[in-house]
Amino acid sequence: QSVLTQPPSASGTPGQRVTISCYGSGSNIGSFTVNWYQQLPGTAPKLLIYSNNQRPSGVPDRFSGSKSDTSASLAISGLQSEDEADYYCAAWDDSLSGWVFGGGTKLTVL
Amino acid sequence: EVQLVESGGGLVQPGRSLRLSCAASGFTFDDYAMHWVRQAPGKGLEWVSGISWNSGNIGYADSVKGRFTISRDNAKNSLYLQMNSLRAEDMALYYCAKDSGPFGYGDYGFDYWGQGSLVTVSS
């Protein structure tokens, strides 16, 4: 049972826009910024979005993040086959004094 | 180019110990906090432990508290995880991750990850 709640799966066709949600609480998302990670099959996670909505250098602007109160979302527009991966949200949790992750969302490009 | 290379994983019996290492390069190691994050086979990511730039702030997940010890040697650009009293549920791929800030908590996160070191706990 993850502290941050994500849907286990999401899907879309090439060119579509998909969103992945991440629900937390006041001790994590409600108080701290959210990061998103992309994990392609068989590889290490990669930082995709930091500080709620910032993209590291090299991440396409098709990826965007947002946060409101105790929830966050990752949006992927112009879906491409190479976007098929697992996506995780993460934040610091002050009550647990530790980092918490969502359970991950497996994105399938149909 | 930031590089994080983990080593030290392997097969270990329940109750025994193992020490993971992470060799860092491509950035000023002693400016940043570092973390261990693990992923059990077919499962999601779980933060294990983190250490601030000067080792002054250290944290552990409840699942490993009292059994695992994180440390760093800034002179050697290296991060370590001493794992004692290993259990079957500790079996996972252990990633070394660089923090984007110095303290290991708050409004930062993990901006670079190694490829992982596999720990198998089995009799």
Side-chain angles (χ1 to χ4, degrees), chain A residues 32-33 35 37 39 44-45 88 99, chain B residues 39 95 104 106-110 114:
Chain A
F32 300 96
T33 58
N35 301 318
Y37 301 92
Q39 187 174 33
Y88 295 89
W99 288 90
Chain B
Q39 186 170 34
Y95 293 105
D107 290 328
Y108 294 99
F110 320 121

Side-chain angles (χ1 to χ4, degrees), chain B residues 47-100:
Chain B
W47 176 79
V48 173
S49 181
I51 185 168
S52 63
W53 67 280
N54 64 351
S55 304
N57 183 63
I58 288 175
Y60 299 97
D62 286 344
S63 57
V64 306
K65 205 170 289 183
R67 299 187 300 122
F68 290 12
T69 302
I70 191 172
S71 62
R72 64 189 294 162
D73 185 335
N74 287 346
K76 294 183 178 179
N77 288 354
S78 293
L79 175 72
Y80 306 101
L81 185 68
Q82 177 67 41
M83 304 184 293
N84 298 333
S85 304
L86 281 161
R87 306 168 180 167
E89 54 263 36
D90 295 319
M91 186 161 66
L93 187 59
Y94 283 73
Y95 293 105
C96 166
K98 172 187 170 292
D99 200 302
S100 56

